[in-house]
Amino acid sequence: KFTRSSTGDVNVAGSMGMKTGKWYWEVTSVQNNSGTATTQLGICKSTFQSFGTPAGNNSDAWVFTSGAYKATNNTYTGSFGSTWSTGDVLQIAFDADNGKVWFGRNGTWIGSGDPAAGTNASFSSLDTTLTYLPIGGINGSADVMAANFGQRPFSYTIPTGFKIGRAHV
């Protein structure tokens, strides 16, 4: 669970990297003030330090934001899905072997993505020699997000061929 109070930014990165395999995890929006905050969820390379808006100071972070954008290389790369609200479940499927990541919301993969088939990834051509970490961050207002790496039942079915996410935050 990560929380941003009324001041400062919150950035978290998992401490267990993913260099091979296919991984799945979910993050639930417990409290969302999307009118004044940007929450970012995704992956970054293992040398991740911190990030701001968007995708932070690390050019190797790939994120889906609460403002319905995706970002990488410290730049928004276009509209993506729709804004999320309190109670929404965000899904992340990461294929480290093929350098792809998918994002979903409430059981629907964005952009007609299909992690099980390996098609329409949110980001692809990621460097498969790197180790990646799950990341999340909030800036702008008080938001609360709760990650589920398999410590409780998932809200949605894990894509075929994927394992439960792994992170130690």
Side-chain angles (χ1 to χ4, degrees):
K1 183 174 177 179
F2 55 102
T3 303
R4 184 200 183 273
S5 64
S6 59
T7 60
D9 295 340
V10 172
N11 304 298
V12 295
S15 60
M16 294 178 66
M18 301 169 290
K19 188 170 183 160
T20 62
K22 296 179 180 183
W23 304 97
Y24 175 82
W25 64 98
E26 297 176 346
V27 180
T28 301
S29 176
V30 177
Q31 176 182 329
N32 183 288
N33 296 304
S34 61
T36 58
T38 300
T39 302
Q40 302 173 342
L41 304 171
I43 60 168
C44 67
K45 66 182 185 176
S46 61
T47 56
F48 172 80
Q49 296 298 318
S50 67
F51 68 93
T53 305
N57 302 321
N58 184 320
S59 63
D60 291 317
W62 295 266
V63 299
F64 171 38
T65 75
S66 58
Y69 295 96
K70 62 181 179 175
T72 190
N73 296 322
N74 211 24
T75 304
Y76 286 116
T77 58
S79 296
F80 189 66
S82 59
T83 58
W84 63 71
S85 302
T86 298
D88 284 352
V89 176
L90 296 310
Q91 302 154 262
I92 299 104
F94 174 56
D95 180 348
D97 298 327
N98 294 296
K100 297 179 181 183
V101 63
W102 292 261
F103 299 111
R105 178 175 163 255
N106 296 332
T108 301
W109 294 103
I110 299 170
S112 301
D114 185 348
T119 58
N120 298 321
S122 302
F123 290 103
S124 58
S125 301
L126 305 180
D127 186 341
T128 58
T129 66
L130 296 175
T131 299
Y132 294 90
L133 301 170
I135 58 169
I138 302 170
N139 59 38
S141 183
D143 279 16
V144 179
M145 303 297 286
N148 180 2
F149 296 102
Q151 70 271 27
R152 61 183 176 274
F154 288 115
S155 296
Y156 298 98
T157 303
I158 299 172
T160 302
F162 283 72
K163 303 174 188 177
I164 61 171
R166 58 192 248 193
H168 187 268
V169 292

